[in-house]
Amino acid sequence: MERIVFAVLAVLAAFPTLIQAQAATFYLPETETQFSLNVANDTDNGDLFFRFTSPAYSWVSIGFGKSMKDSLMFIMYPSEDGKTVTVSPRLSTSNSEPSFYPDTQLDLLPGTTITSDGMFVVEAVCHYCRVWPNGALDTESTAQPMIYAFGPGRRIMSNDKNAALKRHHKYGRFTMDMLQARGPGGVPGPESKLNGVTLEGGMKKDHDRMNRAHAVVGCLAIFVLWPVNVVLAGFFKKMKFHVAASVLLLVFLLVAYLLGGLTSAEYNRSKSHRTPHQITAYLTLLPLFLTALLPIPPISRLSSFTPRLHTPLVSSTFVLLVLSGGLGLHLAMQSRPIILIYTAVALIVFAFCFLLQTCIRRRGSAHQRSRAGHEDEQGLMGLKARFAGEHRSRSRAESVESCESGTSSGNGKGVFGGGTMPGPQYLLNMHPGVPVHRW
């Protein structure tokens, strides 16, 4: 009898598929991703058993629903020690980062691990997972909508079930036959083919265009338009170029702020607008708009000290913008090389603007020097005009005096050629401007 029992056990060990639980299987050859689901029909709490294997991206997910909105999703990423997998049941109310759903009871079974070749293996049972807020799993459906997604390559290593996620890199949809998945409760075994699943198109590559545009527009404003504007202000006589560049710079910054606000609504970590990046960005608005208001005549004429505020306000705005950008890279979970490149570019641009502004303060801008030269020229012309007027007045006075003295002098003899013009006896006198007496 014992020999018969040992023989049966040996056969079962050699052919594990004979004891595998009935399941529907989703399989993706491109990534060797498997998701097999067993809907237990012999439990009172509607248990769901599943097996999931996939390359260890930063995170991977499977969800019950047509889209992210109102779907129950299982997000999987490496644990803090990198030896096992953190599985986070999450819900999302829109096409944004889902949040941890604590009402789901999920138990990880002993087979859950990260293999030596970098593959997630998750074996789990979920209790009371068939119904969730604004959604439910239809166990009678032959085409239950399902979604899947892969995060970017950079890993998240955390035990926190509400850990921050980067936007998915690729995603897709399929439908699953729940009747095929129903059977006695148990964890499905390994599988490498579709079973009761219909794919809806292939994997689609996602693009985080809004977040990327926010970063690109902000960097163009800080690292391109800003130093160009400083050059225009310091070396061009006509202020209209500086004003035009300032308006363009302000437009770029406002667009960056708008895109940043829209991007913030997509992630849990930024929805509250309380991150260091967002707080610094909002603080930057104060010196930015004060700088924009200073040239307005009613404000610029308030005091002789008002124009002097321009340089410190501009410098503080630039520093805050650069700091906000660096904090934004940290918030977006960018890699260290990108952060180091940003830091190097920021230091180079800051040094360039600092040296340029120091030169401008010592020599004065081209506009100021041109204006000062014009005022000096006008002052010199005024002095010349005043001296010429005084000289003409003095000459007329001397002429009148000479005529009067000539008319009243000696025996009633008249005087010709009084003043500066020669008289009729020019050949006799040979000295123009000297009064000539008639004999």
Side-chain angles (χ1 to χ4, degrees):
M1 185 65 183
E2 292 181 356
R3 292 181 179 179
I4 296 175
V5 171
F6 281 119
V8 172
L9 292 176
V11 171
L12 293 177
F15 301 97
T17 57
L18 296 177
I19 58 173
Q20 287 180 4
Q22 184 173 348
T25 298
F26 162 75
Y27 184 75
L28 201 62
E30 294 92 330
T31 58
E32 298 182 353
T33 297
Q34 174 201 349
F35 174 71
S36 296
L37 178 66
N38 167 262
V39 180
N41 57 11
D42 56 354
T43 58
D44 296 332
N45 52 10
D47 289 345
L48 299 177
F49 291 86
F50 66 86
R51 174 184 175 87
F52 183 89
T53 62
S54 178
Y57 294 95
S58 60
W59 60 265
V60 291
S61 71
I62 287 287
F64 304 137
K66 294 181 179 180
S67 63
M68 292 182 64
K69 183 179 180 181
D70 298 330
S71 291
L72 175 62
M73 290 167 275
F74 296 98
I75 312 293
M76 290 155 274
Y77 42 88
S79 61
E80 190 172 345
D81 60 7
K83 297 180 180 179
T84 187
V85 185
T86 299
V87 182
S88 173
R90 301 195 183 197
L91 294 177
S92 179
T93 57
S94 62
N95 291 323
S96 60
E97 181 184 1
S99 302
F100 174 57
Y101 180 52
D103 294 342
T104 298
Q105 299 179 27
L106 182 71
D107 295 331
L108 297 181
L109 301 178
T112 300
T113 186
I114 296 180
T115 64
S116 58
D117 57 349
M119 291 286 289
F120 286 145
V121 178
V122 177
E123 294 183 356
V125 55
C126 189
H127 310 291
Y128 306 103
C129 292
R130 298 188 184 185
V131 180
W132 57 89
N134 301 320
L137 181 65
D138 186 1
T139 58
E140 302 295 330
S141 174
T142 58
Q144 168 65 38
M146 305 283 287
I147 57 176
Y148 66 93
F150 299 95
R154 184 168 176 260
R155 283 191 175 189
I156 300 171
M157 301 181 67
S158 175
N159 296 334
D160 184 6
K161 293 187 177 182
N162 203 24
L165 304 177
K166 293 190 69 174
R167 189 180 176 107
H168 45 60
H169 177 61
K170 293 184 178 181
Y171 66 96
R173 297 180 177 88
F174 62 93
T175 59
M176 179 173 282
D177 185 354
M178 291 292 103
L179 299 180
Q180 179 68 33
R182 293 178 63 175
V187 176
E191 187 62 81
S192 59
K193 63 181 180 179
L194 296 174
N195 183 21
V197 166
T198 301
L199 299 178
E200 294 187 353
M203 277 194 301
K204 299 179 181 178
K205 189 173 182 179
D206 191 24
H207 300 279
D208 194 3
R209 293 186 176 89
M210 189 179 300
N211 192 18
R212 187 173 300 175
H214 166 63
V216 170
V217 172
C219 287
L220 285 176
I222 300 174
F223 299 138
V224 177
L225 292 179
W226 196 284
V228 168
N229 197 20
V230 174
V231 171
L232 293 177
F235 298 99
F236 282 77
K237 296 180 180 180
K238 295 183 179 181
M239 290 299 294
K240 63 181 182 180
F241 298 116
H242 172 54
V243 172
S246 298
V247 172
L248 183 61
L249 174 61
L250 185 60
V251 170
F252 267 64
L253 290 176
L254 291 178
V255 171
Y257 271 92
L258 176 62
L259 293 174
L262 295 175
T263 303
S264 298
E266 295 184 353
Y267 300 94
N268 295 331
R269 55 190 177 275
S270 57
K271 288 179 179 178
S272 61
H273 295 266
R274 296 177 182 175
T275 64
H277 166 64
Q278 292 166 310
I279 293 173
T280 306
Y282 295 143
L283 290 176
T284 308
L285 289 174
L286 179 59
L288 179 63
F289 281 104
L290 286 177
T291 304
L293 293 176
L294 280 181
I296 299 177
I299 297 177
S300 61
R301 296 170 184 170
L302 289 176
S303 171
S304 59
F305 182 75
T306 303
R308 300 180 184 177
L309 296 175
H310 181 77
T311 299
L313 285 175
V314 168
S315 300
S316 60
T317 301
F318 179 77
V319 172
L320 288 174
L321 284 173
V322 171
L323 179 61
S324 176
L327 294 172
L329 293 177
H330 179 73
L331 178 63
M333 303 169 65
Q334 291 294 337
S335 61
R336 180 171 294 180
I338 293 179
I339 295 177
L340 292 176
I341 292 173
Y342 176 87
T343 303
V345 173
L347 291 175
I348 292 172
V349 174
F350 176 80
F352 173 78
C353 292
F354 177 78
L355 294 175
L356 199 59
Q357 288 178 342
T358 302
C359 178
I360 293 172
R361 282 197 300 269
R362 291 181 178 179
R363 298 179 64 248
S365 66
H367 174 74
Q368 292 173 337
R369 295 196 304 271
S370 175
R371 185 176 179 181
H374 182 66
E375 290 178 352
D376 291 342
E377 184 179 353
Q378 287 185 337
L380 181 60
M381 292 177 64
L383 288 174
K384 289 181 178 180
R386 189 180 67 181
F387 292 152
E390 291 179 355
H391 179 69
R392 287 194 296 269
S393 299
R394 188 180 302 111
S395 298
R396 285 194 295 268
E398 290 177 354
S399 175
V400 171
E401 182 180 358
S402 300
C403 291
E404 291 178 351
S405 60
T407 305
S408 57
S409 61
N411 301 325
K413 296 179 180 177
V415 179
F416 299 92
T420 59
M421 297 298 294
Q425 302 296 326
Y426 178 79
L427 294 176
L428 297 176
N429 196 296
M430 296 301 292
H431 194 300
V434 177
V436 179
H437 294 275
R438 185 175 53 193
W439 299 97

